[in-house]
Structures are given as structure tokens and as C-alpha cells.
Amino acid sequence: VRLQGTTSGFPALELLSHRGIMGKVKRTYDDSSFHAATKVIMPKDAIGFNAHDLISDTDNVVLTDGEGNFSLFEYSGVGTYHGHYLFNGAENPFALAREMISWMFKRVPDCSVIVGSTPVENKGALFVTRRCGFKFIDTISSPVGDLKISILTRSEFNKDE
């Protein structure tokens, strides 16, 4: 239900917008700052994660808020991107994740589905993932532990926009 008197219809998003959280997201090609953030945030044993290769691949999209928080949308195939969120002290991770997802769906015409894989023990990330509208579809075992697989389609996301 949208509320009258707000631009978006969602008072919490209006408050965040007025506090300057919304609208700061931009695409980046700066692999040095992305690489530095991944060294702080990523587990030391992250398998197959090479910041330079990922940001250099123009099919992938790396977004930042300019304050050390990043998302990587890794191209998986026609219309599908695998989302990774590398937040390092984001004031409001939910609002930032929503803004980054919105950026993808609005500015990347090919993006129709975002897939997530979240470690089952990371309760905070699972909470944000669910609040962003992702639907959990499976749990898989991986070399880094069990992961909850989730998806968010453009049409499902746009229901809330």
C-alpha cells in the first residue's frame, strides 16, 4: 500500500532519501578501491574471486556509494546477474542494497533476474536479502559452506517501486 504525500509512496525510503542515502549509487571501474574493499570484506579463502578480473569484464557491473561499499552484479547469462554485496559499515544496508538493485533494473535493460547465494550462517545478510524481496529457492553445499540460493525478478522488484 502506497502512502499519499510521499514521492515514492514509502515513508521509510523518503526518510532515507532526505538523509542523503539514496541517489549516491554509481557504476565504478576503479579496480584499486574495489580490490581494497574485497581484501577487507571477503573471506581469505574466497575461491575464484579476482577483483581485477571481475571489474575488468564489462559484462559485469560494479556499483559503489563512494563510501567503501560495493555491489558486484556478475553476468551469468542472458538477463541474469549474480549479485554480491560487499558492505563495509553501510549506515543502512537494506536501503543501500535496494538502491543498488534499483539501479540495475533501471539502467541495465538486459537485467531481468538477480540471483543471490548467501551463507546460511550470515543471519544479517539473509535478513537483508529477504527484506529486499528475494525469494529463497534452495540451499546448496559449496566449498565455503552451505549457501541459500535466492532470486529476485525485475517484475517482483517493481511491485514495490
Side-chain angles (χ1 to χ4, degrees):
V1 174
R2 293 184 183 262
L3 301 178
Q4 294 182 0
T6 62
T7 306
S8 68
F10 297 96
L13 293 180
E14 288 296 311
L15 175 63
L16 296 171
S17 178
H18 290 276
R19 294 179 63 204
I21 293 174
M22 306 288 274
K24 294 175 17 175
V25 170
K26 63 181 183 199
R27 187 170 187 174
T28 184
Y29 298 93
D30 178 1
D31 77 340
S32 62
S33 63
F34 180 60
H35 181 73
T38 61
K39 285 186 150 309
V40 170
I41 300 165
M42 293 294 291
K44 302 266 185 270
D45 60 350
I47 297 169
F49 193 91
N50 181 304
H52 175 74
D53 291 348
L54 290 167
I55 204 167
S56 297
D57 184 339
T58 57
D59 285 337
N60 298 331
V61 177
V62 177
L63 303 176
T64 184
D65 66 351
E67 296 180 13
N69 300 296
F70 294 86
S71 62
L72 162 66
F73 294 94
E74 188 176 4
Y75 182 77
S76 299
V78 176
T80 305
Y81 289 79
H82 195 117
H84 307 277
Y85 304 90
L86 307 166
F87 294 168
N88 186 21
E91 182 179 326
N92 187 327
F94 167 70
L96 183 55
R98 290 282 299 180
E99 180 73 8
M100 290 175 165
I101 293 165
S102 179
W103 192 102
M104 279 298 292
F105 284 137
K106 288 178 181 174
R107 298 189 184 189
V108 181
D110 179 49
C111 183
S112 58
V113 176
I114 298 173
V115 178
S117 54
T118 309
V120 296
E121 73 276 357
N122 192 337
K123 302 300 183 201
L126 291 170
F127 177 76
V128 170
T129 300
R130 186 176 295 111
R131 285 224 26 227
C132 284
F134 283 83
K135 305 294 182 228
F136 293 109
I137 58 170
D138 200 0
T139 302
I140 63 167
S141 293
S142 80
V144 296
D146 290 345
L147 302 171
K148 287 227 178 234
I149 304 301
S150 57
I151 62 168
L152 179 62
T153 65
R154 177 192 301 263
S155 61
E156 282 296 314
F157 184 79
N158 286 338
K159 285 182 183 179
D160 293 337
E161 283 289 289

